[in-house]
Amino acid sequence: MKTLLHTTTMLAALVLVSACANGPDPESFGGRLQAEGGEVARIGETWTEGEAAIRKGRAMIDDGEDDIDDGEDLIASGKKKMRRGEDLVRKGERMKREAEEAYSVRGAKPAQS
């Protein structure tokens, strides 16, 4: 009895496995729908992935434009600082030169008592 039960169970499992391995009959209406459903699902997945890539790309473009705007503001600010710094350097050099001239003129005069 155990052998018959074991054999029947094995035979049933074999039939189920072979039925699943063969897949749907592509000639039947149901089989064609199942095959088309799989293709349509893959197309849908591809479209969804494409839409996600577009959203991510547009967000990156917006971020990049913001970064460029910030960078342009920083460049303008940096150029302004450089012009002010150059003006200060010229002013400082002039002040030093005038101080040296005043000192040398002072030293050329005789000391007054």
Side-chain angles (χ1 to χ4, degrees):
M1 185 69 169
K2 283 186 178 183
T3 305
L4 179 61
L5 181 61
H6 182 66
T7 304
T8 306
T9 304
M10 291 299 287
L11 185 59
L14 183 61
V15 168
L16 284 174
V17 169
S18 66
C20 291
N22 291 335
D25 179 12
E27 300 299 319
S28 71
F29 179 70
R32 288 193 308 269
L33 284 178
Q34 284 181 322
E36 184 176 318
E39 290 175 26
V40 170
R42 282 189 295 280
I43 292 169
E45 289 172 6
T46 301
W47 189 91
T48 301
E49 289 174 9
E51 182 65 20
I54 289 170
R55 279 194 309 271
K56 183 176 181 178
R58 286 183 178 154
M60 290 178 76
I61 289 169
D62 290 343
D63 288 346
E65 287 173 346
D66 290 344
D67 288 350
I68 289 171
D69 290 343
D70 292 345
E72 288 172 347
D73 290 344
L74 286 170
I75 289 170
S77 174
K79 286 181 178 182
K80 186 175 179 181
K81 286 179 183 178
M82 288 178 64
R83 282 191 300 272
R84 280 192 276 152
E86 290 168 353
D87 289 344
L88 283 172
V89 168
R90 281 192 296 275
K91 180 181 177 183
E93 288 174 347
R94 187 182 74 246
M95 291 170 72
K96 284 175 57 178
R97 192 173 43 255
E98 290 172 357
E100 288 173 2
E101 288 173 5
Y103 183 76
S104 65
V105 169
R106 182 184 161 278
K109 292 182 181 181
Q112 295 180 345
S113 324

